[in-house]
Amino acid sequence: MNEFQRQYIECSKRYREKEDADSVRALYALKESLEAESEPEAKRVLVDVYDLLDFKKSAYELFSALASQSDRKDLKRLGSLKEYAENWGDTFAVKCPKTAGEAKRQSEAEADLPFFRYHPHPLETGVFQEVKEEISCDCCGKPTKIYYEGPFYGFHADSHFCPNCIASGEAAQKYDGEFQDPFSVDEGVEDPARLDELIHRTPGYIGWQQEHWRAHCGDFCAYLGDVGAKEMKIQGVLEEVLEDPMWDENEKQWIRESVNGGSMQCYLFRCLHCGKHMVWMDFD
């Protein structure tokens, strides 16, 4: 056993046992160190790391250059990786959780944005896009490097809005529109001001079908982003999500088998009051 294999065995064992943020970060650190190596032994272990993290296309392309055409074991694995690569690519690769430093930098980037209670990290979820060259907000006309790319139900649905025009409600008022369908929300929120804030002053999110907003403790929840079962395990919230009485046993099994970006997509929410996590899910 060489040193590369020893490191992989140690990291993969920790990941399979825990599937938490630290074990994923350790695999990514190993991935980066192996990518800097030129030895064939390191590259073969890198294939294992790619495979474990579901970088199927990367694993196949690298192993294609390493596999021995006279080794039946190599050829069998190459065929298996090829099938995954053609069907999955690297689409479903496990994302590396942010380090404390990365989280701090993101918080600094978001510090200049208005705060959205029901969508606290719109840069991370991808509904706000950052560009190098400024564009004009279609609502206020001011230049902006950050603009909205989520759903908007109203006139000029394809408009580019800056964060301030969403937070102030000016975009929704000017174009007589909504960022969330008011009928596609959980029941139990009696305060009309909270619904007004959600649909008129909160960035929406992009779902496969009609986006639905979860509620808990008499208020709407904070949307945290798209997830699959792996992401929920890494964040330590999967079992909590499965406690939700909204889902029957068949639906809970779908959640357990969900893959981020797959045909059955989960969307993660967190209660603003008790901190409970829950999901909405739909199909492509």
Side-chain angles (χ1 to χ4, degrees):
M1 180 187 302
N2 58 48
E3 180 61 19
F4 305 121
Q5 291 170 325
R6 187 195 65 76
Q7 292 179 48
Y8 172 73
I9 290 172
E10 181 180 318
C11 288
S12 61
K13 181 181 178 182
R14 190 189 320 166
Y15 172 70
R16 289 190 173 98
E17 288 176 351
K18 297 185 176 181
E19 279 193 275
D20 59 6
D22 287 341
S23 65
V24 176
R25 280 194 285 265
L27 275 172
Y28 264 85
L30 178 59
K31 169 181 168 292
E32 291 173 4
S33 68
L34 291 171
E35 286 172 339
E37 298 286 347
S38 58
E39 295 92 333
E41 294 84 359
K43 296 303 182 186
R44 276 189 170 263
V45 175
L46 180 56
V47 172
D48 295 332
V49 176
Y50 281 154
D51 196 8
L52 186 58
L53 288 172
D54 284 335
F55 286 94
K56 300 299 185 180
K57 180 180 178 182
S58 298
Y60 170 68
E61 289 177 348
L62 179 57
F63 197 56
S64 294
L66 299 171
S68 170
Q69 296 301 311
S70 60
D71 189 316
R72 293 180 63 185
K73 188 175 179 181
D74 274 8
L75 294 176
K76 183 178 179 180
R77 186 179 189 191
L78 190 62
S80 176
L81 286 174
K82 182 180 180 181
E83 183 177 352
Y84 279 114
E86 290 175 345
N87 291 316
W88 288 14
D90 287 342
T91 303
F92 305 126
V94 178
K95 295 180 181 177
C96 185
K98 290 182 176 62
T99 63
E102 289 169 337
K104 182 180 178 182
R105 285 191 291 275
Q106 179 178 310
S107 296
E108 291 171 349
E110 291 178 340
D112 294 331
L113 297 179
F115 178 65
F116 300 97
R117 287 198 312 141
Y118 300 133
H119 200 148
H121 303 296
L123 284 175
E124 182 177 349
T125 62
V127 294
F128 281 165
Q129 297 295 317
E130 294 183 89
V131 291
K132 293 181 180 179
E133 296 185 7
E134 293 178 334
I135 64 171
S136 294
C137 171
D138 289 327
C139 180
C140 66
K142 295 178 181 178
T144 180
K145 289 187 176 182
I146 298 177
Y147 65 92
Y148 180 63
E149 281 246 310
F152 181 67
Y153 306 99
F155 297 111
H156 300 282
D158 58 348
S159 297
H160 292 148
F161 301 135
C162 70
N164 289 327
C165 284
I166 295 176
S168 68
E170 291 180 20
Q173 183 177 15
K174 181 174 181 177
Y175 293 105
D176 190 24
E178 299 161 339
F179 295 98
Q180 171 65 29
D181 177 3
F183 297 102
S184 298
V185 298
D186 278 359
E187 297 179 352
V189 181
E190 297 180 359
D191 186 349
R194 291 176 172 175
L195 181 61
D196 179 66
E197 179 179 353
L198 175 67
I199 68 175
H200 293 135
R201 300 191 302 280
T202 299
Y205 72 92
I206 302 171
W208 278 129
Q209 305 296 334
Q210 173 60 55
E211 298 80 15
H212 184 96
W213 214 280
R214 299 303 310 271
H216 198 259
C217 292
D219 199 356
F220 295 110
C221 297
Y223 173 67
L224 302 182
D226 298 0
V227 292
K230 264 185 183 174
E231 287 77 16
M232 288 186 273
K233 284 181 183 178
I234 290 167
Q235 296 180 42
V237 301
L238 179 60
E239 294 307 314
E240 184 181 346
V241 163
L242 293 172
E243 294 171 358
D244 191 343
M246 170 174 275
W247 311 117
D248 62 27
E249 289 306 314
N250 285 334
E251 291 165 333
K252 288 179 181 180
Q253 188 58 35
W254 296 343
I255 293 172
R256 292 187 187 97
E257 296 172 355
S258 62
V259 176
N260 193 16
S263 295
M264 202 287 282
Q265 179 68 60
C266 289
Y267 312 96
L268 185 64
F269 293 83
R270 182 183 63 236
C271 177
L272 295 177
H273 303 279
C274 72
K276 181 176 177 59
H277 290 83
M278 58 194 73
V279 296
W280 181 252
M281 62 177 176
D282 66 5
F283 293 82
D284 64 6

